[in-house]
Amino acid sequence: MRKAIAGLAAVIMLAIVVQFFLAGSGAFDTAPVDEAFRPHRALGYLIVLLTLVTMLVAALARVPGRLVGMTGLLAGLGIAQPLIATLANAFSDTDDSSTAGQLVFGLHAVNALVMMAVAVRILRVARDLSNSPALTAPVTAPTTPTTAADEPAPGPTP
């Protein structure tokens, strides 16, 4: 399961890199805004879904709570992305964006950078965890203490 978490973390990291590409591609596209950013929007929802799946797998694998929490943080940041965009559009006047809308929308990019940093951290922790030996060693019964009668007498050995 630990390797699966590391694999999912790598897929999420790759998806976020592609997300930046799609944002840049949509920004310079001549198509209408809704159409230009459709792939960016779809991948964003997929990233949130992947982080939720990763969080579930991490919880089931009983990895350290910090890793589960980081995946939850990444999902929360991903859920915040469309909310930030909607809030920025609320400040806009028809098709023109206002200064306030542009400032709020700038938070969308800052949040994306924070998501990238959290995803890098998740990937590093997940890789370290998958490369460490599993803590599944069999538990053995404690050995019985020996008594003085069981031990050889001190003295010269022949």
Side-chain angles (χ1 to χ4, degrees), residues 61-119:
R62 296 182 185 246
V63 298
R66 186 172 297 224
L67 182 59
V68 177
M70 283 191 296
T71 57
L73 172 63
L74 188 58
L77 292 169
I79 291 168
Q81 286 293 77
L83 298 176
I84 293 170
T86 302
L87 183 62
N89 287 334
F91 285 107
S92 300
D93 303 330
T94 61
D95 288 338
D96 297 332
S97 59
S98 66
T99 303
Q102 290 174 345
L103 289 173
V104 171
F105 201 71
L107 295 175
H108 185 79
V110 172
N111 191 43
L113 290 173
V114 172
M115 287 179 69
M116 176 76 87
V118 172

Side-chain angles (χ1 to χ4, degrees), residues 1 9-10 13 26 29 31 35 61-62 69 75 77 83 98-100 107 120 122 125-126 139:
M1 282 270 237
M13 187 66 214
D29 198 341
E35 185 179 325
R62 296 182 185 246
L77 292 169
L83 298 176
S98 66
T99 303
L107 295 175
V120 166
I122 290 170
V125 171
V139 177

Side-chain angles (χ1 to χ4, degrees), residues 1-110:
M1 282 270 237
R2 293 177 177 197
K3 294 225 185 258
I5 297 167
L8 284 167
V11 169
I12 291 169
M13 187 66 214
L14 178 64
I16 291 174
V17 170
V18 171
Q19 186 72 329
F20 273 98
F21 170 79
L22 291 174
S25 176
F28 296 105
D29 198 341
T30 57
V33 174
D34 285 343
E35 185 179 325
F37 284 100
R38 188 172 294 138
H40 175 77
R41 195 175 306 115
L43 184 58
Y45 292 130
L46 181 63
I47 289 170
V48 170
L49 180 65
L50 282 172
T51 57
L52 290 172
V53 168
T54 305
M55 184 174 64
L56 180 65
V57 170
L60 291 174
R62 296 182 185 246
V63 298
R66 186 172 297 224
L67 182 59
V68 177
M70 283 191 296
T71 57
L73 172 63
L74 188 58
L77 292 169
I79 291 168
Q81 286 293 77
L83 298 176
I84 293 170
T86 302
L87 183 62
N89 287 334
F91 285 107
S92 300
D93 303 330
T94 61
D95 288 338
D96 297 332
S97 59
S98 66
T99 303
Q102 290 174 345
L103 289 173
V104 171
F105 201 71
L107 295 175
H108 185 79
V110 172

